[in-house]
Amino acid sequence: MFELQSLGIEYGTLAMFVLLLGFLLTGMPLAFVTLLIALIFTLGWFGPMAVPLITSRVYSFVSSFVFVSVPMFVLMAAILDRSGIARDLFDAMRLFGGRLKGGVAVQTIFVAVILAAMSGIIGGEIVLLGLLALPQMLRQGYDKNLAIGVVCAGGSLGTMVPPSIVLIIYGLTANVSIGDLFTSAFIPGFMLAAFYVAYVLFRSYTGKNIAPPPQTEKIPSAEKIRLLKGLFLPILVVFCVLGSIYGGIASVTEASAVGVAGVIASTILRREFSLPMLKAAALQTLSTCGMIVWIGIGASALVGVFNLMGGIKFVSSLITGISDDPTIIILFMMLILFVLGMFLDWVGIALLTMPIFVPIVKDLGFDPVWFGVLFAMNMQVSFLSPPFGPAAFYLKSVAPPDISLGDIFRSLFPFICLQILAVAILIIFPGITGR
């Protein structure tokens, strides 16, 4: 019954990793892979009497009160997908970006920031911007690579800009305050957006045939007022959600409910609300959250079994044995996350690695909140990096047929470099997070 235990923790860890990789290569979903491996190692290492340990570990994950905020923010994004709020927001930003060379690209990034602050869901933003901004930029003569990069990188800002689902899952896994994570990620998120804007303006003003000349025609006052109305409701929702959190009026979970109420009220005021729309948004939310919960269940079970085997202590000793310099150890963790981000989704990465990494970070004397912001910034890279960068596949689903996946990944390289630069700056200057 205990054949696996005779392997020792070193070979047990290797066997677990090989099984994980092998099952994933078959195309089996990550949630089922992790659950299956957890069951195999529980039976093979400890025997059938240890199986209830898996269920107790899983219950502690899914019963967290803060987890309620995840479906709320997903529902916000799903309703936004089906309303005209994002379209009007994009049109309204023309008032600010129209006089700049590269103005449409800049306004796309600003719209991405506002959408990220409304819901924190990445896939929906990229699809929305791919439908709204990409055709307009290509029609006006923007460089194709710049236009693609702006949509994918801007749409991925939901990873960093609060209320980020990535930060919520990290906070649950690392057992740190999600409010503190949101506060600490605020400036780094806008710093990354500023990097994107600076890069767009630099390319637009220094390169040939990168962006069309700025618009010179005057917008009538009546049109300005109509466009400004498109800004009011989204900014009001953002103010209610983030203002209630930062002002100490509501918890993250309560603020997520405020956000859903705000978005539904916005669709009612715009006369776009309907029961079929709400039903479709609810079904999309159910699908997305079901995926997150199942991955969480599988990862929690696997990490729990690995911990009982002594694996977490073993891996921690390996990582800390790399160098006596704490910064080198942090860089090595970032490298591991970067490589994992090429092949796994961020939910699985967070739930599989953070139970190992966060105790090491604390032992090294670093702030786990600061590390959470670093993790979110690293996951920003994973959304763009080949071969499985989800941002590229989201955009490909709505991009013109002549734009291939190869074109998209090539366009993302400069933005990946900017993201890596942002990670480096956060490591060198941790005070940016306020910690």
Side-chain angles (χ1 to χ4, degrees):
M1 182 62 68
F2 302 96
E3 294 88 351
L4 287 177
Q5 197 169 16
S6 62
L7 291 175
I9 189 58
E10 298 86 353
Y11 289 104
T13 301
L14 179 62
M16 186 177 281
F17 178 77
V18 170
L19 275 177
L20 183 67
L21 188 61
F23 281 130
L24 286 174
L25 289 175
T26 67
M28 190 184 298
L30 177 63
F32 300 149
V33 169
T34 49
L35 269 174
L36 179 60
I37 295 175
L39 185 60
I40 290 171
F41 274 82
T42 300
L43 293 173
W45 202 279
F46 300 106
M49 298 299 291
V51 172
L53 293 173
I54 296 180
T55 57
S56 62
R57 173 91 185 184
V58 166
Y59 179 77
S60 66
F61 170 76
V62 297
S63 62
S64 174
F65 178 68
V66 180
F67 197 77
V68 176
S69 64
V70 174
M72 289 291 164
F73 286 126
V74 175
L75 182 60
M76 282 176 65
I79 295 173
L80 280 172
D81 278 353
R82 289 160 176 79
S83 73
I85 294 174
R87 183 186 64 246
D88 286 356
L89 176 61
F90 184 79
D91 291 341
M93 292 306 295
R94 187 158 54 92
L95 291 171
F96 305 96
R99 298 186 180 276
L100 289 171
K101 191 175 184 181
V104 177
V106 171
Q107 83 183 59
T108 300
I109 295 170
F110 277 113
V111 169
V113 171
I114 296 174
L115 290 176
M118 289 180 74
S119 66
I121 304 296
I122 294 90
E125 287 181 43
I126 293 171
V127 170
L128 275 173
L129 295 175
L131 292 170
L132 291 174
L134 184 61
Q136 188 170 334
M137 284 190 279
L138 295 177
R139 187 175 62 251
Q140 291 185 7
Y142 276 80
D143 176 72
K144 181 174 72 173
N145 292 334
L146 182 69
I148 291 169
V150 163
V151 169
C152 285
S156 300
L157 282 169
T159 308
M160 282 300 303
V161 177
S164 162
I165 304 295
V166 176
L167 292 173
I168 292 173
I169 297 296
Y170 172 86
L172 287 170
T173 311
N175 197 26
V176 297
S177 165
I178 294 170
D180 288 347
L181 285 168
F182 282 2
T183 303
S184 298
F186 194 82
I187 293 177
F190 283 96
M191 177 186 75
L192 186 59
F195 284 178
Y196 293 163
V197 170
Y199 173 73
V200 166
L201 292 176
F202 175 78
R203 288 292 311 280
S204 298
Y205 280 94
T206 60
K208 290 185 178 180
N209 301 320
I210 298 296
Q215 299 174 0
T216 54
E217 74 271 13
K218 293 191 70 174
I219 300 174
S221 298
E223 178 68 4
K224 285 182 179 179
I225 293 171
R226 188 190 71 79
L227 291 173
L228 283 172
K229 287 180 180 177
L231 276 176
F232 177 73
L233 287 175
I235 290 177
L236 182 62
V237 172
V238 171
F239 177 79
C240 290
V241 173
L242 296 183
S244 61
I245 295 172
Y246 293 135
I249 300 169
S251 67
V252 172
T253 306
E254 293 162 343
S256 67
V258 170
V260 171
V263 171
I264 291 176
S266 299
T267 58
I268 292 172
L269 289 173
R270 294 167 53 86
R271 299 179 181 177
E272 294 173 339
F273 181 80
S274 67
L275 288 178
M277 181 191 80
L278 186 61
K279 180 182 177 182
L283 288 173
Q284 182 183 336
T285 302
L286 186 64
S287 173
T288 303
C289 294
M291 178 268 295
I292 293 174
V293 169
W294 272 109
I295 291 176
I297 289 172
S300 297
L302 184 62
V303 170
V305 172
F306 192 53
N307 188 25
L308 287 173
M309 290 165 55
I312 290 182
K313 287 184 179 178
F314 169 67
V315 174
S316 298
S317 64
L318 281 181
I319 293 175
T320 53
I322 289 171
S323 173
D324 292 331
D325 187 343
T327 304
I328 299 295
I329 297 173
I330 293 293
L331 289 173
F332 183 67
M333 290 182 187
M334 290 295 108
L335 179 62
I336 292 174
L337 293 173
F338 177 77
V339 173
L340 288 176
M342 295 181 179
F343 305 100
L344 297 177
D345 64 87
W346 64 267
V347 183
I349 295 171
L351 296 170
L352 288 171
T353 60
M354 290 307 109
I356 301 173
F357 286 2
V358 172
I360 298 174
V361 169
K362 291 179 179 177
D363 289 342
L364 292 173
F366 292 113
D367 191 328
V369 173
W370 165 78
F371 188 76
V373 178
L374 265 187
F375 168 73
M377 191 72 83
N378 200 308
M379 291 301 97
Q380 177 92 14
V381 181
S382 77
F383 271 95
L384 306 188
S385 56
F388 300 119
F393 291 92
Y394 288 136
L395 182 61
K396 176 60 181 168
S397 67
V398 294
D402 60 318
I403 294 179
S404 67
L405 268 177
D407 293 332
I408 296 174
F409 278 122
R410 279 191 295 273
S411 305
L412 298 180
F413 180 73
F415 293 91
I416 292 173
C417 292
L418 290 173
Q419 291 169 341
I420 294 173
L421 173 63
V423 171
I425 289 174
L426 287 179
I427 292 173
I428 297 169
F429 303 107
I432 293 174
T433 63
R435 308 301 295 183

